[in-house]
Amino acid sequence: HLLGVRSWAPPPGADDLASAQAALQAIHPQASGDAPAEFRLPPRQAVWMALDLAIDPAGDPWVLELTHPSLRAADLYLPRADGKLVVLRGGRDVPIAERSGARFAATFALPPDIPSGTAYIRLQGTVPIRGQFLLQQRDDWKRQSRWQFWAMTACFTPRSCCSSVQLSTKKRFLNR
């Protein structure tokens, strides 16, 4: 579960994990409650966020999805039980082979041995961005993403078919 979120925009020269950790520890977290936690990014500026996670390592695997398709870069720093960090990369600028969730630009399959604690994520976009953090168990995420894919296919396919029919009808009319 996502218990709280903190956000910090680094000044020039301080866009690194150590600076972000120090700045974010001094900020009171915003409780996410029942609604999904949101993130907002200004154009062409990095934003660091601290995510307070409560994950049962003995339970099912978890997926963290960031719901905006235009994220250029998303680097997630997760704590491990031994104190070291696991770094997962995502975003449109990251090659597919290097992404945590290769199918979706900003989806992270969390490793099974990640304990509860604070994760840090660095986000960047080229346009103003507003999205949500969705932390779900993997099976729930798979069901939801299949439903979304089906709904998008069903909604956009007839529109493109109708457009091509309208276009061919218009061409035939103009060629008379």
Side-chain angles (χ1 to χ4, degrees):
H1 297 85
L2 188 55
L3 302 176
V5 177
R6 296 171 296 229
S7 178
W8 175 71
D15 189 7
D16 59 82
L17 178 60
S19 298
Q21 287 175 318
L24 289 164
Q25 287 173 356
I27 298 172
H28 185 68
Q30 297 175 347
S32 59
D34 292 335
E38 288 190 350
F39 60 90
R40 294 177 189 218
L41 306 176
R44 295 173 298 283
Q45 183 180 350
V47 171
W48 284 86
M49 302 190 87
L51 309 175
D52 297 324
L53 305 175
I55 296 177
D56 178 10
D60 292 332
W62 290 83
V63 173
L64 176 64
E65 180 180 5
L66 285 68
T67 64
H68 200 286
S70 293
L71 280 169
R72 303 304 296 183
D75 297 326
L76 180 63
Y77 299 82
L78 294 163
R80 287 189 357 193
D82 63 5
K84 296 181 182 178
L85 292 174
V86 174
V87 181
L88 303 177
R89 298 185 67 218
R92 292 177 54 197
D93 288 349
V94 177
I96 290 175
E98 295 177 26
R99 291 181 190 163
S100 167
R103 198 166 130 209
F104 301 99
T107 299
F108 300 95
L110 304 185
D113 61 342
I114 297 300
S116 295
T118 301
Y120 296 91
I121 188 164
R122 180 189 182 276
L123 303 174
Q124 189 165 8
T126 54
V127 297
I129 292 176
R130 181 179 179 180
Q132 296 177 335
F133 291 108
L134 299 178
L135 183 63
Q136 299 175 319
Q137 290 184 320
R138 185 183 62 200
D139 291 341
D140 294 339
W141 177 82
K142 281 182 178 180
R143 276 190 292 278
Q144 177 188 334
S145 62
R146 284 188 193 123
W147 171 251
Q148 287 174 339
F149 179 75
W150 179 85
M152 287 174 44
T153 302
C155 290
F156 291 116
T157 302
R159 183 173 275 169
S160 62
C161 292
C162 292
S163 298
S164 63
V165 169
Q166 289 173 348
L167 184 60
S168 65
T169 305
K170 186 176 181 180
K171 283 182 183 177
R172 277 189 269 155
F173 177 76
L174 294 174
N175 289 334
R176 286 185 182 185

